[in-house]
Amino acid sequence: MLDPRVTRLAELLCSHSCGLGPDDRLLIHAFDIPEEAVAEVIRVAQGTGAQVAVRLESNLVRRQLLLGMTEANARTIADVEKHEMEQMTAYIALRGSHNYAEQADVPEANLKLWAKEYTTPVVFGVRVPKTKWVALRWPTPGMAQQANMSTPAFEKFYFDVCTLDYGKMAEACRPLEDLMNRTDMVRITGPGTDFSFSIKGIGSVPCTGERNIPDGECFSAPVRESVNGVVQFNTVSLYQSTEFKDIRYVIKNGRIEEATAGSNTAKINEILDTDEGARYFGEWSLGFNPYVLHPMKDTLFDEKIAGSFHFTPGNAYDPPGGNGNKSSIHWDTVLIQRPEYGGGEIYFDDVLIRKDGLFVLPELEGLNPDRLG
């Protein structure tokens, strides 16, 4: 029997996230997802009158594809999938994984090639700017292990997080969106961290269930050359199937001049040398999902942690909220500022707006966990 929580999630994806209707053409792109769950998303989408196309993939199969990837092969795949994406008005990504390190042995050169020839034209060129899209992870025993939870406990956590009251969150986020739109200088301090940047004229975008599930953030981007200072991240970041710990950036006039990550310092610099835009930042965002409190090495969850922010080397989204930076990478890296993670402060134009992970301005307190949970 189908878990009714799957139906509830499918309804959220098709209505709140994508707003599907008879004029829509939807691509459901599923990696290692139970067939009955994919079928339920299809059923719910069909109920809106939308046309539905499906692409089923495997991370193990993708690994082999990438191991033997050539420039010509990547361009052929990109041409096919770009054409497919251009026919769609909406896109739902269902991303499961039996092994989060499945691509760990794919050569860095192959991953860079794929990012340049496929990700840039298909994802950043068509899917992100031209469709109504939403992406989510699928709960697996491996994810439960990453979160240090039993599988049943993690499944409950997953569905609680993913199907919270996003309407309430959207209402609470409006004052933050307005404040960010009026802000010039941002300064962030904490253990090993003191940096500043301008967001003047960039605009902000509240994310309350429309693009990511789970959700709970409001993003902008720094004026490209305005960032100066040092940031020391306190979560493990999983990127290209590799775990990066103790990430630290020294930033001058917007550019990452020094990057360290313990034993993976050489690899992080290889990634940041992918292209010119990779050493500049394309996004900065405040996280406030009340149910996501601790990192689990999964970006879609970790970047929404209550009391966190993430800072993103690489590609920017289109305005509002984008600064024009272009790159084939987009690496959301998370710093938690709640007391048990070392605390920290965020100032907008020299006014303290968040301390130790809690918003302190009265108009923003509705985003604190005790009000959203």
Side-chain angles (χ1 to χ4, degrees):
M1 181 180 294
L2 184 72
D3 190 325
R5 298 176 300 183
V6 174
T7 301
R8 184 181 174 195
L9 180 59
E11 290 170 347
L12 176 74
L13 296 173
C14 294
S15 58
H16 179 83
S17 299
C18 290
L20 296 178
D23 294 332
D24 282 307
R25 298 180 300 278
L26 168 69
L27 174 63
I28 297 173
H29 193 180
F31 276 82
D32 296 324
I33 302 295
E35 291 181 354
E36 62 270 20
V38 179
E40 182 66 355
V41 178
I42 294 171
R43 184 190 69 79
V44 173
Q46 289 172 330
T48 70
Q51 299 178 45
V52 181
V54 181
R55 178 178 287 274
L56 300 179
E57 298 203 48
S58 154
N59 285 292
L60 184 63
V61 172
R62 174 63 66 88
R63 169 188 170 274
Q64 183 57 54
L65 195 64
L66 291 173
L67 282 173
M69 189 55 60
T70 65
E71 184 174 304
N73 197 170
R75 287 181 176 176
T76 296
I77 295 170
D79 286 345
V80 170
E81 295 196 30
K82 182 180 177 183
H83 175 76
E84 177 183 54
M85 194 66 66
E86 288 171 340
Q87 313 313 306
M88 303 299 159
T89 64
Y91 173 89
I92 294 177
L94 306 173
R95 298 170 181 166
S97 177
H98 302 304
N99 175 6
Y100 72 78
E102 197 69 78
Q103 297 176 14
D105 57 353
V106 176
E108 183 67 28
N110 293 34
L111 293 173
K112 285 185 178 180
L113 173 66
W114 184 253
K116 177 184 176 183
E117 302 296 343
Y118 175 86
T119 305
T120 296
V122 179
V123 179
F124 297 144
V126 182
R127 194 257 287 176
V128 169
K130 297 181 181 179
T131 70
K132 300 183 290 185
W133 61 271
V134 62
L136 75 157
R137 296 288 188 262
W138 193 257
T140 64
M143 286 181 70
Q145 186 175 38
Q146 286 173 240
N148 294 313
M149 300 172 70
S150 69
T151 300
F154 180 77
E155 287 182 354
K156 182 181 185 306
F157 160 78
Y158 174 88
F159 286 105
D160 285 346
V161 167
C162 290
T163 59
L164 58 77
D165 187 344
Y166 285 114
K168 179 180 179 181
M169 179 185 284
E171 184 67 27
C173 193
R174 287 194 181 97
L176 177 60
E177 177 189 12
D178 179 63
L179 179 60
M180 290 173 70
N181 288 339
R182 293 184 283 110
T183 294
D184 179 0
M185 292 302 300
V186 176
R187 183 186 177 197
I188 301 178
T189 61
T193 294
D194 191 342
F195 69 106
S196 62
F197 54 92
S198 173
I199 57 173
K200 185 176 182 179
I202 300 295
S204 64
V205 178
C207 299
T208 54
E210 292 83 7
R211 293 292 175 263
N212 288 170
I213 297 293
D215 218 343
E217 63 172 291
C218 190
F219 77 83
S220 184
V223 174
R224 191 173 183 266
E225 286 81 26
S226 71
V227 192
N228 285 282
V230 179
V231 56
Q232 173 74 55
F233 295 95
N234 59 8
T235 64
V236 176
S237 183
L238 181 65
Y239 193 74
Q240 295 183 353
S241 293
T242 298
E243 291 184 9
F244 293 86
K245 301 177 181 178
D246 303 318
I247 296 174
R248 181 178 183 268
Y249 296 141
V250 177
I251 309 153
K252 297 180 181 178
N253 299 324
R255 189 176 189 274
I256 300 171
E257 297 293 342
E258 299 177 28
T260 55
S263 62
N264 277 322
T265 291
K267 185 156 188 175
I268 197 173
N269 280 281
E270 285 182 12
I271 293 171
L272 294 174
D273 288 335
T274 296
D275 50 44
E276 175 62 24
R279 284 188 179 266
Y280 289 85
F281 292 89
E283 182 187 354
W284 169 73
S285 187
L286 293 168
F288 43 76
N289 189 303
Y291 294 111
V292 189
L293 299 176
H294 305 289
M296 49 178 284
K297 292 180 285 190
D298 189 297
T299 298
L300 275 180
F301 283 77
D302 293 354
E303 67 179 2
K304 315 304 189 318
I305 290 172
S308 75
F309 71 85
H310 56 273
F311 207 29
T312 308
N315 199 65
Y317 296 113
D318 287 346
N323 62 4
N325 193 48
K326 298 300 180 185
S327 174
S328 60
I329 77 163
H330 181 93
W331 188 351
D332 296 315
T333 316
V334 178
L335 196 159
I336 306 171
Q337 293 190 301
R338 301 201 315 275
E340 63 266 40
Y341 288 92
E345 299 80 31
I346 298 179
Y347 299 86
F348 285 1
D349 293 328
D350 297 321
V351 175
L352 180 67
I353 66 107
R354 202 179 76 177
K355 181 176 176 58
D356 294 341
L358 292 178
F359 292 99
V360 298
L361 297 183
E363 63 269 30
L364 303 183
E365 290 178 348
L367 289 171
N368 287 332
D370 63 337
R371 299 279 291 274
L372 279 182

